[in-house]
Amino acid sequence: MEQPRSKPPKARLSSVANSIRVLTSFSGEEDELGITTLATRMRLAKSTVHRLAVTLTAAGFLEQNRDSGKYRLGMALFELGALVRRRMDVANEGRPKLRELLEMTGETVQLGIIDHHSVLYVYEMESRRAIRMAAAVGARAPLHCTAVGKVLLAAQPEDYVSQ
């Protein structure tokens, strides 16, 4: 079940917020972005975005492609993500049942959780069949558009589903 989130504090650091906006600008479709593209999307000056990118690159959160000059997500994010995944009890405890389900059905099995009114895939075991369903771990999808999301919605209270 989704945990209620507290309202963001009124006092915030805009540089931190903008750094988060830079990081969340990347997607599976756009894994490298230039300063101009980022600045346009964020509606910030190119000089501001450049300073943010340089700072994030120095910390390993971004990497710069030497050939194109564009930026991509860095390995520091992978390391942090791996820490989160290791502490995910639901994935660790669910692994034996997922294996059992995979062996029973021969089909791909996925484990997802509700997060921000979408399904977030946290674990997957792929079928060995030639044609199979796959969703990238870490990917999101609207709850109503996937089998995993529909299963999760079925266990939610009526007031949550009607939102």
Side-chain angles (χ1 to χ4, degrees), residues 52-88:
L52 289 167
V54 167
T55 302
L56 290 167
T57 300
F61 291 100
L62 288 180
E63 296 173 350
Q64 189 174 22
N65 181 327
R66 293 182 196 267
D67 296 330
S68 68
K70 293 182 177 183
Y71 291 86
R72 61 182 167 247
L73 296 176
M75 295 311 273
L77 292 170
F78 177 79
E79 292 176 75
L80 290 174
L83 289 173
V84 171
R85 189 162 184 204
R86 278 198 302 263
R87 74 160 180 80
M88 290 190 78

mmCIF file of all heavy atoms in Angstrom, residues 52-88:
data_model
loop_
_atom_site.group_PDB
_atom_site.id
_atom_site.type_symbol
_atom_site.label_atom_id
_atom_site.label_comp_id
_atom_site.label_asym_id
_atom_site.label_seq_id
_atom_site.Cartn_x
_atom_site.Cartn_y
_atom_site.Cartn_z
ATOM 1 N N LEU A 52 24.933 23.513 -12.406
ATOM 2 C CA LEU A 52 24.328 22.335 -11.780
ATOM 3 C C LEU A 52 24.924 21.057 -12.372
ATOM 4 O O LEU A 52 25.280 20.128 -11.634
ATOM 5 C CB LEU A 52 22.808 22.336 -11.978
ATOM 6 C CG LEU A 52 22.006 23.376 -11.198
ATOM 7 C CD1 LEU A 52 20.578 23.458 -11.734
ATOM 8 C CD2 LEU A 52 22.010 23.059 -9.720
ATOM 9 N N ALA A 53 25.052 21.014 -13.694
ATOM 10 C CA ALA A 53 25.591 19.816 -14.359
ATOM 11 C C ALA A 53 27.041 19.570 -13.950
ATOM 12 O O ALA A 53 27.423 18.419 -13.698
ATOM 13 C CB ALA A 53 25.471 19.967 -15.873
ATOM 14 N N VAL A 54 27.837 20.617 -13.858
ATOM 15 C CA VAL A 54 29.238 20.466 -13.460
ATOM 16 C C VAL A 54 29.318 19.932 -12.028
ATOM 17 O O VAL A 54 30.104 19.029 -11.724
ATOM 18 C CB VAL A 54 30.002 21.801 -13.610
ATOM 19 C CG1 VAL A 54 31.351 21.761 -12.910
ATOM 20 C CG2 VAL A 54 30.171 22.143 -15.083
ATOM 21 N N THR A 55 28.482 20.458 -11.150
ATOM 22 C CA THR A 55 28.464 20.013 -9.746
ATOM 23 C C THR A 55 28.025 18.555 -9.655
ATOM 24 O O THR A 55 28.648 17.753 -8.945
ATOM 25 C CB THR A 55 27.522 20.907 -8.909
ATOM 26 O OG1 THR A 55 27.970 22.259 -9.012
ATOM 27 C CG2 THR A 55 27.495 20.476 -7.459
ATOM 28 N N LEU A 56 26.964 18.197 -10.374
ATOM 29 C CA LEU A 56 26.466 16.819 -10.355
ATOM 30 C C LEU A 56 27.463 15.855 -10.992
ATOM 31 O O LEU A 56 27.600 14.714 -10.552
ATOM 32 C CB LEU A 56 25.107 16.740 -11.056
ATOM 33 C CG LEU A 56 23.945 17.405 -10.316
ATOM 34 C CD1 LEU A 56 22.734 17.558 -11.225
ATOM 35 C CD2 LEU A 56 23.588 16.626 -9.063
ATOM 36 N N THR A 57 28.195 16.319 -11.990
ATOM 37 C CA THR A 57 29.215 15.489 -12.627
ATOM 38 C C THR A 57 30.373 15.234 -11.662
ATOM 39 O O THR A 57 30.866 14.106 -11.552
ATOM 40 C CB THR A 57 29.721 16.150 -13.925
ATOM 41 O OG1 THR A 57 28.612 16.301 -14.812
ATOM 42 C CG2 THR A 57 30.794 15.313 -14.600
ATOM 43 N N ALA A 58 30.786 16.261 -10.957
ATOM 44 C CA ALA A 58 31.890 16.111 -9.996
ATOM 45 C C ALA A 58 31.538 15.107 -8.898
ATOM 46 O O ALA A 58 32.413 14.397 -8.396
ATOM 47 C CB ALA A 58 32.232 17.469 -9.373
ATOM 48 N N ALA A 59 30.248 15.009 -8.565
ATOM 49 C CA ALA A 59 29.805 14.079 -7.522
ATOM 50 C C ALA A 59 29.480 12.690 -8.084
ATOM 51 O O ALA A 59 29.156 11.774 -7.327
ATOM 52 C CB ALA A 59 28.578 14.645 -6.808
ATOM 53 N N GLY A 60 29.545 12.523 -9.403
ATOM 54 C CA GLY A 60 29.271 11.230 -10.015
ATOM 55 C C GLY A 60 27.811 10.976 -10.345
ATOM 56 O O GLY A 60 27.459 9.889 -10.800
ATOM 57 N N PHE A 61 26.955 11.982 -10.132
ATOM 58 C CA PHE A 61 25.535 11.804 -10.422
ATOM 59 C C PHE A 61 25.233 11.986 -11.907
ATOM 60 O O PHE A 61 24.216 11.516 -12.399
ATOM 61 C CB PHE A 61 24.679 12.750 -9.590
ATOM 62 C CG PHE A 61 24.686 12.397 -8.130
ATOM 63 C CD1 PHE A 61 25.497 13.082 -7.234
ATOM 64 C CD2 PHE A 61 23.914 11.353 -7.650
ATOM 65 C CE1 PHE A 61 25.527 12.735 -5.895
ATOM 66 C CE2 PHE A 61 23.933 11.006 -6.309
ATOM 67 C CZ PHE A 61 24.744 11.700 -5.431
ATOM 68 N N LEU A 62 26.109 12.684 -12.614
ATOM 69 C CA LEU A 62 26.035 12.805 -14.060
ATOM 70 C C LEU A 62 27.395 12.462 -14.633
ATOM 71 O O LEU A 62 28.416 12.567 -13.946
ATOM 72 C CB LEU A 62 25.678 14.239 -14.491
ATOM 73 C CG LEU A 62 24.267 14.752 -14.271
ATOM 74 C CD1 LEU A 62 24.150 16.188 -14.768
ATOM 75 C CD2 LEU A 62 23.224 13.869 -14.933
ATOM 76 N N GLU A 63 27.400 12.078 -15.904
ATOM 77 C CA GLU A 63 28.633 11.874 -16.661
ATOM 78 C C GLU A 63 28.477 12.657 -17.950
ATOM 79 O O GLU A 63 27.368 12.776 -18.476
ATOM 80 C CB GLU A 63 28.826 10.392 -17.016
ATOM 81 C CG GLU A 63 29.005 9.493 -15.832
ATOM 82 C CD GLU A 63 29.026 8.007 -16.221
ATOM 83 O OE1 GLU A 63 28.719 7.681 -17.393
ATOM 84 O OE2 GLU A 63 29.334 7.199 -15.349
ATOM 85 N N GLN A 64 29.591 13.178 -18.456
ATOM 86 C CA GLN A 64 29.531 13.905 -19.718
ATOM 87 C C GLN A 64 30.146 13.068 -20.829
ATOM 88 O O GLN A 64 31.247 12.531 -20.686
ATOM 89 C CB GLN A 64 30.263 15.245 -19.609
ATOM 90 C CG GLN A 64 30.049 16.129 -20.816
ATOM 91 C CD GLN A 64 30.648 17.512 -20.658
ATOM 92 O OE1 GLN A 64 31.548 17.729 -19.856
ATOM 93 N NE2 GLN A 64 30.135 18.454 -21.437
ATOM 94 N N ASN A 65 29.425 12.963 -21.933
ATOM 95 C CA ASN A 65 29.923 12.284 -23.119
ATOM 96 C C ASN A 65 30.971 13.197 -23.749
ATOM 97 O O ASN A 65 30.664 14.305 -24.178
ATOM 98 C CB ASN A 65 28.764 12.019 -24.088
ATOM 99 C CG ASN A 65 29.194 11.301 -25.337
ATOM 100 O OD1 ASN A 65 30.296 11.476 -25.836
ATOM 101 N ND2 ASN A 65 28.280 10.502 -25.870
ATOM 102 N N ARG A 66 32.204 12.738 -23.814
ATOM 103 C CA ARG A 66 33.304 13.569 -24.327
ATOM 104 C C ARG A 66 33.113 13.937 -25.796
ATOM 105 O O ARG A 66 33.545 14.998 -26.232
ATOM 106 C CB ARG A 66 34.635 12.851 -24.146
ATOM 107 C CG ARG A 66 35.032 12.684 -22.707
ATOM 108 C CD ARG A 66 36.398 12.000 -22.618
ATOM 109 N NE ARG A 66 36.662 11.492 -21.298
ATOM 110 C CZ ARG A 66 37.313 12.167 -20.365
ATOM 111 N NH1 ARG A 66 37.753 13.370 -20.611
ATOM 112 N NH2 ARG A 66 37.525 11.621 -19.183
ATOM 113 N N ASP A 67 32.467 13.062 -26.555
ATOM 114 C CA ASP A 67 32.280 13.321 -27.989
ATOM 115 C C ASP A 67 31.189 14.357 -28.253
ATOM 116 O O ASP A 67 31.390 15.280 -29.037
ATOM 117 C CB ASP A 67 31.944 12.028 -28.727
ATOM 118 C CG ASP A 67 33.082 11.017 -28.670
ATOM 119 O OD1 ASP A 67 34.258 11.457 -28.603
ATOM 120 O OD2 ASP A 67 32.807 9.805 -28.683
ATOM 121 N N SER A 68 30.052 14.188 -27.617
ATOM 122 C CA SER A 68 28.905 15.064 -27.903
ATOM 123 C C SER A 68 28.783 16.232 -26.930
ATOM 124 O O SER A 68 28.096 17.205 -27.218
ATOM 125 C CB SER A 68 27.609 14.254 -27.872
ATOM 126 O OG SER A 68 27.337 13.814 -26.542
ATOM 127 N N GLY A 69 29.409 16.113 -25.756
ATOM 128 C CA GLY A 69 29.270 17.151 -24.730
ATOM 129 C C GLY A 69 27.986 17.023 -23.934
ATOM 130 O O GLY A 69 27.762 17.777 -22.984
ATOM 131 N N LYS A 70 27.136 16.072 -24.308
ATOM 132 C CA LYS A 70 25.865 15.884 -23.606
ATOM 133 C C LYS A 70 26.092 15.118 -22.310
ATOM 134 O O LYS A 70 27.123 14.470 -22.119
ATOM 135 C CB LYS A 70 24.864 15.138 -24.487
ATOM 136 C CG LYS A 70 24.423 15.958 -25.687
ATOM 137 C CD LYS A 70 23.393 15.203 -26.503
ATOM 138 C CE LYS A 70 22.904 16.064 -27.652
ATOM 139 N NZ LYS A 70 21.862 15.374 -28.419
ATOM 140 N N TYR A 71 25.090 15.183 -21.448
ATOM 141 C CA TYR A 71 25.179 14.550 -20.136
ATOM 142 C C TYR A 71 24.261 13.344 -20.065
ATOM 143 O O TYR A 71 23.234 13.282 -20.740
ATOM 144 C CB TYR A 71 24.801 15.555 -19.042
ATOM 145 C CG TYR A 71 25.821 16.650 -18.890
ATOM 146 C CD1 TYR A 71 25.770 17.786 -19.683
ATOM 147 C CD2 TYR A 71 26.857 16.530 -17.969
ATOM 148 C CE1 TYR A 71 26.728 18.790 -19.553
ATOM 149 C CE2 TYR A 71 27.817 17.523 -17.834
ATOM 150 C CZ TYR A 71 27.744 18.640 -18.634
ATOM 151 O OH TYR A 71 28.703 19.621 -18.505
ATOM 152 N N ARG A 72 24.649 12.390 -19.224
ATOM 153 C CA ARG A 72 23.831 11.206 -18.940
ATOM 154 C C ARG A 72 23.938 10.927 -17.441
ATOM 155 O O ARG A 72 24.833 11.439 -16.768
ATOM 156 C CB ARG A 72 24.295 10.015 -19.762
ATOM 157 C CG ARG A 72 25.722 9.606 -19.479
ATOM 158 C CD ARG A 72 26.166 8.434 -20.359
ATOM 159 N NE ARG A 72 27.606 8.280 -20.288
ATOM 160 C CZ ARG A 72 28.433 8.487 -21.293
ATOM 161 N NH1 ARG A 72 27.975 8.865 -22.467
ATOM 162 N NH2 ARG A 72 29.725 8.329 -21.136
ATOM 163 N N LEU A 73 23.023 10.104 -16.941
ATOM 164 C CA LEU A 73 23.040 9.770 -15.522
ATOM 165 C C LEU A 73 24.326 9.023 -15.180
ATOM 166 O O LEU A 73 24.801 8.195 -15.964
ATOM 167 C CB LEU A 73 21.818 8.936 -15.160
ATOM 168 C CG LEU A 73 20.475 9.649 -15.335
ATOM 169 C CD1 LEU A 73 19.317 8.702 -15.041
ATOM 170 C CD2 LEU A 73 20.385 10.895 -14.470
ATOM 171 N N GLY A 74 24.863 9.289 -13.993
ATOM 172 C CA GLY A 74 26.140 8.722 -13.580
ATOM 173 C C GLY A 74 26.011 7.510 -12.670
ATOM 174 O O GLY A 74 24.929 7.169 -12.178
ATOM 175 N N MET A 75 27.146 6.894 -12.447
ATOM 176 C CA MET A 75 27.196 5.655 -11.678
ATOM 177 C C MET A 75 26.867 5.849 -10.194
ATOM 178 O O MET A 75 26.464 4.893 -9.532
ATOM 179 C CB MET A 75 28.566 4.996 -11.828
ATOM 180 C CG MET A 75 28.840 4.535 -13.257
ATOM 181 S SD MET A 75 27.493 3.597 -13.968
ATOM 182 C CE MET A 75 27.874 1.975 -13.417
ATOM 183 N N ALA A 76 26.996 7.040 -9.670
ATOM 184 C CA ALA A 76 26.642 7.272 -8.265
ATOM 185 C C ALA A 76 25.160 6.969 -8.043
ATOM 186 O O ALA A 76 24.771 6.463 -6.981
ATOM 187 C CB ALA A 76 26.967 8.705 -7.847
ATOM 188 N N LEU A 77 24.333 7.240 -9.048
ATOM 189 C CA LEU A 77 22.906 6.921 -8.936
ATOM 190 C C LEU A 77 22.677 5.420 -8.939
ATOM 191 O O LEU A 77 21.807 4.914 -8.228
ATOM 192 C CB LEU A 77 22.125 7.586 -10.075
ATOM 193 C CG LEU A 77 22.068 9.098 -10.003
ATOM 194 C CD1 LEU A 77 21.490 9.676 -11.286
ATOM 195 C CD2 LEU A 77 21.261 9.543 -8.805
ATOM 196 N N PHE A 78 23.467 4.699 -9.735
ATOM 197 C CA PHE A 78 23.379 3.242 -9.739
ATOM 198 C C PHE A 78 23.724 2.687 -8.362
ATOM 199 O O PHE A 78 23.038 1.802 -7.843
ATOM 200 C CB PHE A 78 24.318 2.649 -10.806
ATOM 201 C CG PHE A 78 24.328 1.160 -10.816
ATOM 202 C CD1 PHE A 78 23.309 0.451 -11.422
ATOM 203 C CD2 PHE A 78 25.345 0.459 -10.191
ATOM 204 C CE1 PHE A 78 23.309 -0.935 -11.425
ATOM 205 C CE2 PHE A 78 25.352 -0.929 -10.185
ATOM 206 C CZ PHE A 78 24.340 -1.623 -10.802
ATOM 207 N N GLU A 79 24.779 3.225 -7.762
ATOM 208 C CA GLU A 79 25.183 2.762 -6.433
ATOM 209 C C GLU A 79 24.086 3.015 -5.402
ATOM 210 O O GLU A 79 23.784 2.133 -4.587
ATOM 211 C CB GLU A 79 26.463 3.472 -5.995
ATOM 212 C CG GLU A 79 27.683 3.076 -6.803
ATOM 213 C CD GLU A 79 28.905 3.883 -6.406
ATOM 214 O OE1 GLU A 79 29.457 3.586 -5.334
ATOM 215 O OE2 GLU A 79 29.277 4.796 -7.164
ATOM 216 N N LEU A 80 23.491 4.192 -5.444
ATOM 217 C CA LEU A 80 22.404 4.502 -4.506
ATOM 218 C C LEU A 80 21.199 3.601 -4.754
ATOM 219 O O LEU A 80 20.577 3.108 -3.814
ATOM 220 C CB LEU A 80 22.001 5.971 -4.622
ATOM 221 C CG LEU A 80 23.016 6.982 -4.113
ATOM 222 C CD1 LEU A 80 22.549 8.397 -4.425
ATOM 223 C CD2 LEU A 80 23.259 6.808 -2.619
ATOM 224 N N GLY A 81 20.875 3.382 -6.023
ATOM 225 C CA GLY A 81 19.763 2.494 -6.360
ATOM 226 C C GLY A 81 19.996 1.077 -5.871
ATOM 227 O O GLY A 81 19.073 0.411 -5.398
ATOM 228 N N ALA A 82 21.238 0.614 -5.975
ATOM 229 C CA ALA A 82 21.562 -0.734 -5.496
ATOM 230 C C ALA A 82 21.381 -0.827 -3.985
ATOM 231 O O ALA A 82 20.921 -1.851 -3.471
ATOM 232 C CB ALA A 82 22.995 -1.103 -5.882
ATOM 233 N N LEU A 83 21.705 0.241 -3.271
ATOM 234 C CA LEU A 83 21.489 0.253 -1.816
ATOM 235 C C LEU A 83 20.000 0.146 -1.489
ATOM 236 O O LEU A 83 19.610 -0.592 -0.586
ATOM 237 C CB LEU A 83 22.052 1.537 -1.192
ATOM 238 C CG LEU A 83 23.562 1.672 -1.143
ATOM 239 C CD1 LEU A 83 23.945 3.073 -0.645
ATOM 240 C CD2 LEU A 83 24.160 0.610 -0.235
ATOM 241 N N VAL A 84 19.199 0.874 -2.223
ATOM 242 C CA VAL A 84 17.748 0.836 -1.999
ATOM 243 C C VAL A 84 17.222 -0.560 -2.301
ATOM 244 O O VAL A 84 16.457 -1.129 -1.523
ATOM 245 C CB VAL A 84 17.024 1.885 -2.876
ATOM 246 C CG1 VAL A 84 15.512 1.703 -2.812
ATOM 247 C CG2 VAL A 84 17.410 3.286 -2.444
ATOM 248 N N ARG A 85 17.652 -1.128 -3.413
ATOM 249 C CA ARG A 85 17.155 -2.455 -3.798
ATOM 250 C C ARG A 85 17.531 -3.517 -2.775
ATOM 251 O O ARG A 85 16.742 -4.410 -2.473
ATOM 252 C CB ARG A 85 17.696 -2.823 -5.175
ATOM 253 C CG ARG A 85 17.048 -4.080 -5.706
ATOM 254 C CD ARG A 85 17.222 -4.209 -7.170
ATOM 255 N NE ARG A 85 16.497 -5.392 -7.610
ATOM 256 C CZ ARG A 85 16.789 -6.046 -8.683
ATOM 257 N NH1 ARG A 85 17.764 -5.650 -9.456
ATOM 258 N NH2 ARG A 85 16.098 -7.108 -9.021
ATOM 259 N N ARG A 86 18.745 -3.437 -2.227
ATOM 260 C CA ARG A 86 19.169 -4.429 -1.233
ATOM 261 C C ARG A 86 18.327 -4.369 0.034
ATOM 262 O O ARG A 86 18.124 -5.376 0.693
ATOM 263 C CB ARG A 86 20.647 -4.220 -0.875
ATOM 264 C CG ARG A 86 21.577 -4.858 -1.878
ATOM 265 C CD ARG A 86 22.969 -5.033 -1.312
ATOM 266 N NE ARG A 86 23.582 -3.808 -0.878
ATOM 267 C CZ ARG A 86 24.436 -3.084 -1.605
ATOM 268 N NH1 ARG A 86 24.767 -3.473 -2.801
ATOM 269 N NH2 ARG A 86 24.947 -1.989 -1.129
ATOM 270 N N ARG A 87 17.843 -3.200 0.365
ATOM 271 C CA ARG A 87 17.068 -3.084 1.602
ATOM 272 C C ARG A 87 15.576 -3.322 1.396
ATOM 273 O O ARG A 87 14.801 -3.275 2.327
ATOM 274 C CB ARG A 87 17.298 -1.741 2.277
ATOM 275 C CG ARG A 87 16.620 -0.591 1.593
ATOM 276 C CD ARG A 87 16.459 0.597 2.542
ATOM 277 N NE ARG A 87 15.815 1.692 1.887
ATOM 278 C CZ ARG A 87 14.507 1.795 1.682
ATOM 279 N NH1 ARG A 87 13.699 0.872 2.107
ATOM 280 N NH2 ARG A 87 14.004 2.839 1.073
ATOM 281 N N MET A 88 15.184 -3.606 0.168
ATOM 282 C CA MET A 88 13.769 -3.832 -0.127
ATOM 283 C C MET A 88 13.362 -5.221 0.329
ATOM 284 O O MET A 88 13.537 -6.205 -0.379
ATOM 285 C CB MET A 88 13.489 -3.653 -1.613
ATOM 286 C CG MET A 88 13.594 -2.212 -2.053
ATOM 287 S SD MET A 88 12.987 -1.992 -3.714
ATOM 288 C CE MET A 88 11.232 -1.994 -3.404
#
